[in-house]
């Protein structure tokens, strides 16, 4: 009887854990579309299989860049689901026609339902002292760090004639600002520039995909078991499966599978490439399996439920 009772308790615990996890039915792709001011905006698309995506809102922006940003344009949207089921999105606050060294800020956004978003501009030059020689603030992303029980925002930043370095700071509890000082997250052994960091956790190891900006223009990977330890192991091979320059790496796990998609912006060839991997080390091109009724630039993908997909499709964005 005691053994049966323990078995029933264990089974209930398993069922409870499963019930607490969202039952995902598809994928949400957040992206921007180009270097014209009208294209420097947040767009959404949905997919049921992680391969065939259809734009929402007629591929028009889901938020007005003039309202949410300080420059009038936003780029590189990164979206995530929080531990308590909310959503965070961070974007580069930038219009590229003003110059690649023109921006100083990022935008933090949060939502309970994926359709209604609050926003806050964080200007690094105004937020922190001694930033007179700050040149640019690029491609922020967010990840939960269980060691700190906080959400880490990480981004690349360049000062003066120095290299682009990936830094981090923790977001406040309302996700409206950064708290404390920023610190370097990753600096490659070469000391050369790196941008567009994208971190995915697999089997207790964090994999940081990054672009070697201006010194190869490809995607490499560094790994660690502790985000802020500084103990990164670098792989020197490039992960893109094209001879063209690439940027904006983004990874996502396929629902119910031990497979990952690594996608990136083949920006000089004006295309986007999808690859698949089981180990985050070896990748095969799956472009022939992918369809999109839009042309994305640097973006990100998260899994969503059937209810969330229905809400997104029904949303009135204009």
């Amino acid at each position: 009887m005691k053994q049966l009772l323990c078995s029933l308790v264990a089974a209930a615990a398993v069922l409870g854990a499963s019930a607490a996890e969202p039952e995902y039915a598809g994928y949400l792709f957040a992206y921007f579309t180009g270097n014209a001011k009208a294209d420097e905006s947040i767009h959404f698309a949905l997919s049921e299989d992680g391969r065939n995506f259809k734009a929402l809102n007629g591929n028009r922006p889901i938020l007005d860049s003039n309202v949410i940003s300080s420059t009038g344009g936003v780029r590189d949207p990164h979206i995530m689901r929080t531990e308590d089921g909310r959503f965070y999105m961070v974007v580069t606050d930038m219009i590229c026609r003003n110059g690649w060294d023109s921006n100083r800020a990022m935008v933090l956004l949060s939502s309970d339902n994926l359709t209604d978003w609050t926003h806050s501009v964080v200007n690094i030059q105004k937020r922190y002292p001694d930033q007179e020689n700050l040149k640019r603030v690029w491609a922020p992303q967010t990840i939960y760090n269980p060691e700190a029980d906080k959400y880490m925002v990480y981004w690349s930043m360049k000062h003066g004639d120095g290299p682009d370095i990936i830094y981090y700071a923790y977001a406040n509890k309302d996700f409206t600002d950064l708290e404390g000082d920023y610190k370097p997250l990753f600096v490659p052994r070469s000391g050369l520039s790196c941008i567009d960091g994208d971190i995915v956790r697999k089997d207790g190891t964090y994999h940081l995909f990054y672009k070697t900006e201006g010194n190869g223009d490809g995607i490499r990977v560094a790994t660690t078991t502790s985000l802020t330890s500084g103990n990164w192991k670098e792989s020197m091979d490039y992960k893109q499966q094209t001879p063209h320059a690439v940027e904006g790496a983004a990874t996502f796990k396929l629902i119910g599978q031990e497979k990952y998609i690594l996608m990136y912006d083949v920006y000089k060839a004006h295309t986007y490439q999808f690859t698949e991997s089981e180990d985050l080390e070896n990748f095969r091109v799956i472009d022939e399996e992918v369809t999109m009724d839009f042309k994305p630039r640097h973006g990100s993908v998260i899994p969503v439920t059937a209810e969330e997909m229905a809400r997104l499709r029904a949303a009135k964005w204009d």
Side-chain angles (χ1 to χ4, degrees):
M1 178 65 70
K2 183 178 180 180
Q3 184 177 1
L4 176 60
L5 181 60
C6 289
S7 298
L8 290 172
V9 171
V14 169
L15 288 173
S18 300
E21 296 175 358
E23 185 175 342
Y24 296 124
Y27 306 82
L28 172 63
F29 188 175
Y31 58 96
F32 80 106
T33 57
N35 290 340
K37 183 179 182 299
D39 299 327
E40 292 174 312
S41 50
I42 301 170
H43 301 245
F44 279 175
L46 289 175
S47 170
E48 294 181 357
D49 59 6
R51 284 169 164 76
N52 300 285
F53 288 87
K54 292 189 178 297
L56 294 173
N57 196 38
N59 197 31
R60 297 184 300 276
I62 60 103
L63 291 169
D64 187 342
S65 297
N66 290 301
V67 172
I68 66 172
S69 72
S70 63
T71 62
V74 298
R75 302 166 64 92
D76 320 314
H78 178 263
I79 189 169
M80 72 166 294
R81 185 189 300 268
T82 68
E83 297 293 300
D84 61 358
R86 302 187 71 242
F87 301 93
Y88 290 162
M89 190 157 47
V90 285
V91 292
T92 307
D93 187 343
M94 179 179 181
I95 294 179
C96 75
R97 72 182 185 190
N98 291 338
W100 297 112
D101 289 343
S102 64
N103 83 304
R104 310 288 185 263
M106 65 180 78
V107 184
L108 278 57
L109 304 104
S110 63
S111 174
D112 291 322
N113 57 15
L114 290 171
T115 58
D116 301 296
W117 294 86
T118 62
H119 64 274
S120 179
V121 173
V122 178
N123 187 303
I124 299 299
Q125 197 165 52
K126 296 177 180 178
R127 175 70 176 74
Y128 295 99
D130 304 320
Q131 299 294 316
E132 291 80 8
N133 65 343
L134 176 61
K135 291 293 185 68
R136 55 200 188 200
V137 174
W138 281 359
Q141 297 203 176
T142 309
I143 187 171
Y144 175 69
N145 184 2
E147 294 181 54
D149 191 23
K150 293 181 179 181
Y151 289 90
M152 170 190 289
V153 180
Y154 57 99
W155 69 96
S156 62
M157 187 160 57
K158 178 182 174 67
H159 289 86
D161 295 327
D164 297 90
I165 293 172
I166 298 177
Y167 295 90
Y168 79 93
Y170 288 110
N172 65 7
K173 63 181 180 64
D174 297 321
F175 205 70
T176 57
D177 198 0
L178 303 178
E179 61 179 30
D181 200 1
Y182 64 79
K183 301 175 183 178
L185 178 68
F186 172 74
V187 181
R189 291 194 302 269
S190 66
L192 299 175
S193 288
C194 58
I195 66 169
D196 292 354
D198 178 67
I199 300 174
V200 60
R201 190 170 188 241
K202 181 182 185 300
D203 300 330
T205 297
Y206 297 95
H207 299 252
L208 168 65
F209 293 83
Y210 64 94
K211 179 192 176 185
T212 54
E213 171 72 355
N215 55 90
D217 293 338
I219 295 168
R220 286 180 173 167
V221 178
T223 58
T224 186
T225 56
S226 175
L227 283 173
T228 59
S229 67
N231 297 321
W232 293 94
K233 179 181 178 182
E234 297 180 47
S235 296
M236 302 312 292
D237 61 318
Y238 283 95
K239 299 304 183 183
Q240 73 273 13
Q241 303 298 305
T242 173
H244 299 291
V246 302
E247 64 186 15
T251 54
F252 64 95
K253 186 177 182 296
L254 292 174
I255 300 166
Q257 304 178 55
E258 288 304 315
K259 293 181 180 180
Y260 294 80
I261 299 297
L262 167 65
M263 60 183 192
Y264 39 80
D265 186 352
V266 192
Y267 59 101
K268 290 185 178 179
H270 306 291
T271 188
Y272 215 82
Q273 185 162 78
F274 279 66
T275 64
E276 186 180 83
S277 174
E278 295 181 1
D279 57 11
L280 293 178
E281 294 181 7
N282 303 286
F283 298 86
R284 71 177 185 91
V285 176
I286 59 168
D287 289 344
E288 70 282 355
E289 304 171 22
V290 175
T291 63
M292 295 180 285
D293 61 352
F294 57 95
K295 291 186 177 181
R297 297 292 309 276
H298 186 171
S300 57
V301 172
I302 61 168
V304 286
T305 67
E307 180 183 358
E308 289 162 349
M309 293 177 77
R311 186 187 312 130
L312 285 161
R313 289 187 174 116
K316 304 298 182 183
W317 301 103
D318 295 328

